[in-house]
Amino acid sequence: MQPQLMRAARQGVQFQKRRFFRPLQHAVLRQRPLPPLVHDADAAPAPDLIDWQVDRPVLLRRLAENRSKIGLLQLPLAQHPAEPVVDIRVFRQNHHAERVPVEPRHGMDAGRLAALQQEPDSPEALATIPHVCLSDLPRDPAPVPTELREDGNVIIHDLQTDGIVYTTAYFAADDLTPEELPYLTLLRSVLSQLPAGEMDAQELQKQLRLRLGSFSVGVSPITQLRDPQAYRLYATASCSALGSKLPEALSLAAAILTKTDFTNRGKLLEILRQLRDGLQQQIVSSGSSFAMLRASAALNAAGACTERSGGVDFYRWLCALEREFDARADACIAALQRLSEKLFVTARLRLSVTGGTEDERQTVLRVLREALPAGQAPGPAYPAPLLPIRREGIVIPSEVSFAAVCGDVHVYSGALRIACRAASLGHYWNEIRVQGGAYGTGLLLRDTGLATAYTYRDPDCARSRGAIGRTAAYLAAAASEPQEANIIGAISDAEPLLSPRLQGAVADTWLLKGMTQADRCRLRHEMLDTLPEQLDACGAQIGRALDEGVVCVLGPRTQLEACGDLDVQEL
């Protein structure tokens, strides 16, 4: 193996170890074939056992979801040598190890095991299962450390990241015209795939593995909280690197942004085809997200921007560009070059750094400002035009459909979030998932005030739309039922477990959309204080919005025509 590849492999292992293994909150798993029981409780573990530190919440969640095959060592407790346990040793400050008793393997035949599994648990046993109560939840959400410097152009998140520095550069792109938006997504896809500076594509990939833990470019339209029809558009460049490698890592990232050579027509066409093929597969397999996006594009400007740069409209643009590539190649190359020179400049830059020491943060600022050209500040904004409000059916090569019904309730509140969760887990689950046979369904409320009902892999979208039309009636009937479980679930959805990297990214979004800690507290208070009787009024708001809203269904022609009210067109 070449020395550079060996160094890149070591760099990758070191980076992943720091990224995923938390020192203060982890479980130690012993990985080696062992007998099911170790009868000498005081015997030390074999010296060649390998301890893997795994983030504890992630471990417990994956165990619960049965998504990971994890071998656990069974050991008897020293004080109860006859009782075997699964030893998940959890270390967090002064917490004791958690041990889960299990049945011994010897003497357990399949018949007895099946009988035990079918036997109902006693009320006493069920009472021992931990439950979260509303009183267990803090009244206010935990803030993410955020410091603004240089008039808000530098954002610092002082979080423990185990020596990794996460950097995100936000380049203002509000002045891009609607015609330029799809080129921005294409630009994102080709960067790091084409030669940059003096490096060919193969050498560039080698240097990325050697110097950086991750590198990506994105397109981020961010709706403003106080004005849901206003949004800020950013081209983002995110990377992560060990603190010791920051200068060379950031110099490489800047070279990709500013020195990429777009003139290889053959490679550009290859990337274009891969992008189109991947997007088509996503539309066919995960059409719900595309249906929801397209429906929202008729009601919200940020949704229209995202549709133009990453939805069905963007897919159609890609297909046309591929068909006409010979005639449009030179114009495409010129557009990519022009966007690269226009966007990736310090005059448009807003920088976010998560983790690292103060010296490392200063290194980030210094290196990027030296490596990027000054450029010009953005001009007047060009908001993306909304799509027409309609009921639309798009034919895709699938035997199932993906439906979205989107309406504007013109408000975003905690009570509406509880109502959406109640409808999702009650009415939608029973009517659309269980009885209708769809693989998934739900009712979502965005901070733009848009409420969206969706179905996933639906065998009968016409029937499901009928169930969606009865949302208000269900919530009116549910107004007499306790909502504690829905409140806890809604708060869990709003405040999921996040890694330090994601904490910084989410805090950036809050800041850029104008959401303060006071706004987060207000929303938490509204959810905690929601009364069952409020669901009736919320249901009326949601039902009216959905009845007057936009419909988009992706599916087979037979299902679309069976709805009777859709404007059916080909993908």
Side-chain angles (χ1 to χ4, degrees), residues 279 283 290 293 306-316:
L279 194 59
I283 292 173
F290 290 89
L293 173 58
T306 307
E307 168 67 17
R308 181 67 178 156
S309 59
V312 171
D313 268 3
F314 177 66
Y315 171 77
R316 290 169 172 169

Side-chain angles (χ1 to χ4, degrees), residues 471-486:
T471 301
Y474 171 81
L475 288 173
S480 60
E481 301 173 0
Q483 295 299 317
E484 179 173 324
N486 287 323

Side-chain angles (χ1 to χ4, degrees), residues 380-443:
Y382 284 93
L386 300 181
L387 296 184
I389 295 177
R390 58 184 172 183
R391 298 184 174 185
E392 181 181 35
I394 300 176
V395 178
I396 60 173
S398 173
E399 296 181 356
V400 291
S401 63
F402 306 87
V405 181
C406 182
D408 195 346
V409 295
H410 302 286
V411 69
Y412 179 62
S413 70
L416 282 168
R417 287 196 63 131
I418 305 305
C420 287
R421 184 172 179 87
S424 295
L425 298 184
H427 176 58
Y428 284 37
W429 182 263
N430 291 327
E431 290 283 334
I432 299 175
R433 173 68 178 91
V434 177
Q435 299 179 31
Y439 276 34
T441 184
L443 178 61

Side-chain angles (χ1 to χ4, degrees), residues 266-295:
K267 183 63 175 178
L268 190 59
L269 179 58
E270 178 185 336
I271 296 173
L272 172 63
R273 286 171 172 165
Q274 291 174 351
L275 181 60
R276 187 264 308 152
D277 186 59
L279 194 59
Q280 182 183 31
Q281 292 181 24
Q282 292 178 42
I283 292 173
V284 173
S285 63
S286 303
S288 297
S289 58
F290 290 89
M292 287 189 285
L293 173 58
R294 191 161 179 82

Side-chain angles (χ1 to χ4, degrees), residues 138-206:
R139 184 74 179 168
D140 296 330
V144 176
T146 301
E147 177 188 353
L148 297 181
R149 301 178 183 176
E150 302 185 15
D151 296 327
N153 288 321
V154 177
I155 309 166
I156 303 296
H157 303 294
D158 189 9
L159 296 168
Q160 172 57 253
T161 56
D162 299 331
I164 300 175
V165 181
Y166 298 97
T167 303
T168 301
Y170 295 91
F171 297 95
D174 307 290
D175 56 341
L176 296 190
T177 64
E179 292 74 24
E180 290 178 306
L181 291 177
Y183 283 107
L184 180 57
T185 303
L186 182 58
L187 175 66
R188 177 201 69 182
S189 302
V190 302
L191 289 174
S192 77
Q193 302 299 315
L194 295 173
E198 299 179 355
M199 296 173 288
D200 60 22
Q202 184 177 1
E203 177 64 21
L204 177 59
Q205 291 300 313
K206 186 189 302 181

Side-chain angles (χ1 to χ4, degrees), residues 303-541:
C305 177
T306 307
E307 168 67 17
R308 181 67 178 156
S309 59
V312 171
D313 268 3
F314 177 66
Y315 171 77
R316 290 169 172 169
W317 180 87
L318 279 177
C319 292
L321 180 59
E322 182 183 0
R323 287 193 306 267
E324 304 162 3
F325 186 77
D326 289 341
R328 296 173 57 182
D330 290 340
C332 178
I333 292 170
L336 295 176
Q337 186 66 47
R338 184 170 58 253
L339 281 179
S340 176
E341 295 173 354
K342 178 180 180 178
L343 292 175
F344 302 129
V345 297
T346 57
R348 295 173 177 263
L349 175 63
R350 195 170 193 178
L351 192 62
S352 172
V353 183
T354 299
T357 64
E358 182 59 30
D359 287 343
E360 289 167 346
R361 296 164 192 159
Q362 292 301 322
T363 298
V364 172
L365 296 175
R366 175 180 56 80
V367 172
L368 286 182
R369 285 172 174 169
E370 291 176 355
L372 295 174
Q376 296 182 350
Y382 284 93
L386 300 181
L387 296 184
I389 295 177
R390 58 184 172 183
R391 298 184 174 185
E392 181 181 35
I394 300 176
V395 178
I396 60 173
S398 173
E399 296 181 356
V400 291
S401 63
F402 306 87
V405 181
C406 182
D408 195 346
V409 295
H410 302 286
V411 69
Y412 179 62
S413 70
L416 282 168
R417 287 196 63 131
I418 305 305
C420 287
R421 184 172 179 87
S424 295
L425 298 184
H427 176 58
Y428 284 37
W429 182 263
N430 291 327
E431 290 283 334
I432 299 175
R433 173 68 178 91
V434 177
Q435 299 179 31
Y439 276 34
T441 184
L443 178 61
L444 305 177
L445 178 69
R446 306 297 186 190
D447 56 16
T448 57
L450 297 186
T452 306
Y454 72 92
T455 68
Y456 175 77
R457 294 189 63 82
D458 192 345
D460 189 348
C461 63
R463 182 188 184 282
S464 297
R465 287 179 58 199
I468 291 171
R470 297 189 291 274
T471 301
Y474 171 81
L475 288 173
S480 60
E481 301 173 0
Q483 295 299 317
E484 179 173 324
N486 287 323
I487 293 173
I488 294 171
I491 292 176
S492 176
D493 291 341
E495 303 285 342
L497 177 70
L498 299 174
S499 66
R501 177 185 67 84
L502 289 177
Q503 289 182 54
V506 170
D508 286 348
T509 302
W510 293 335
L511 178 67
L512 295 175
K513 72 166 46 199
M515 177 177 282
T516 65
Q517 179 67 10
D519 293 320
R520 297 180 61 216
C521 291
R522 174 186 56 79
L523 182 63
R524 170 73 70 90
H525 297 169
E526 290 175 355
M527 288 191 285
L528 286 171
D529 298 338
T530 296
L531 301 174
E533 50 266 30
Q534 291 178 261
L535 264 61
D536 191 0
C538 290
Q541 283 181 278

